[in-house]
Structures are given as structure tokens and as C-alpha cells.
Amino acid sequence: MENEVEILVNRYAAGILCTDDILDFVHRQLNAGEWSDIFLEIIDHQPQTWVAISKLFEQYLREQHVYLPNLEEAVRYLVEYHITKIASGKVVPYDQFKEMLQEIDGYDYYGKTEKYVGDDLGIHLMYGWYYEDYCSEGEINRGIFNESKVWMSSYAKKH
């Protein structure tokens, strides 16, 4: 299973977190017995605005020596995270792909298109299935699932 901090950091870098997401994370960490003085600063800070909380969150990340990726790195991480879930067969492919597209919405994959939308990320065939109008729900889910397997063999990080 993916490390919660790693997922959170990549979502943060992709610009899809809000103040409440960080506060929820801090509370989960404290409830799990993790401690940082910065957690108390985050919880106690008033008003709990994005500017203040995000600055403290980045301070916590530096304290923990957690690398904060740029947008491109974060999007590639999130794409792999979601496609890995699709390829596992444990999620509904269409729903998971939709969630992925929402998370990478701040990334200009349209502008980086060479031939098909999403081809710079390798998601163009899944993207085509996602927007397919003439197939059943089952066919679309199978198409996205099958393409996720191909994506895994071609684009996933080799560990």
C-alpha cells in the first residue's frame, strides 16, 4: 500500500488539497501516535487559512526530509497510482480513471499532446475509452482495465 504521506504530498504538489485535508492528515497522524511540534502549530493557528496552514505543512515536510515534487512529477506519480489501482482489478476502472482526471486537472496534458489527448502521460487509449459513446458500461470498463495493463508494462516505474 502507498504511503499516505507520499500520496498527500503529490496531491499537494498537484494543487488539489485544501486546508481541511491538511488538518485531517495532522489529526490522523496524532491519533496514530506521530508527533511534531508543527502539528500543534497547524492545529492552533488562527485563522486556519490556506496560506498559513500550507506554509506550516511545507515546514513539516522539510522537517521530515520529505521531497516536495514539482507539478509534472506529482502528476506522473498520481497517474501511476491510479492506473496501478485500475490494473489491480479491485476498483471500477471508469470511476478510478475519473478520479485520476480530476486530480490531474491542473496539469496541461492537452497542451502537451503530440497526437492524442494524454499521450504524453500514456493515458490516451484509456482516455479514449473513458469518453467512448457507443459502448456499454462493461465494455468501457474492460477497455480501460485492459489498457491499464498495457500501460503498466510500458510506462510504470520499473522497481
Side-chain angles (χ1 to χ4, degrees), residues 72-91:
E72 177 101 16
E73 294 166 327
V75 165
R76 292 192 181 280
Y77 173 90
L78 292 169
V79 166
E80 184 162 349
Y81 169 73
H82 287 285
I83 293 177
T84 299
K85 288 179 90 172
I86 294 168
S88 76
K90 297 178 182 174
V91 297

Side-chain angles (χ1 to χ4, degrees), residues 129 132-140:
W129 277 109
E132 178 57 60
D133 289 337
Y134 299 104
C135 291
S136 70
E137 184 179 316
E139 290 170 318
I140 292 169

Side-chain angles (χ1 to χ4, degrees), residues 10 13-14 67-80 107 112 121 157:
N10 281 282
Y67 172 71
L68 184 60
N70 61 37
L71 177 61
E72 177 101 16
E73 294 166 327
V75 165
R76 292 192 181 280
Y77 173 90
L78 292 169
V79 166
E80 184 162 349
Y107 176 73
K112 295 180 182 196
L121 297 171
K157 292 179 186 170

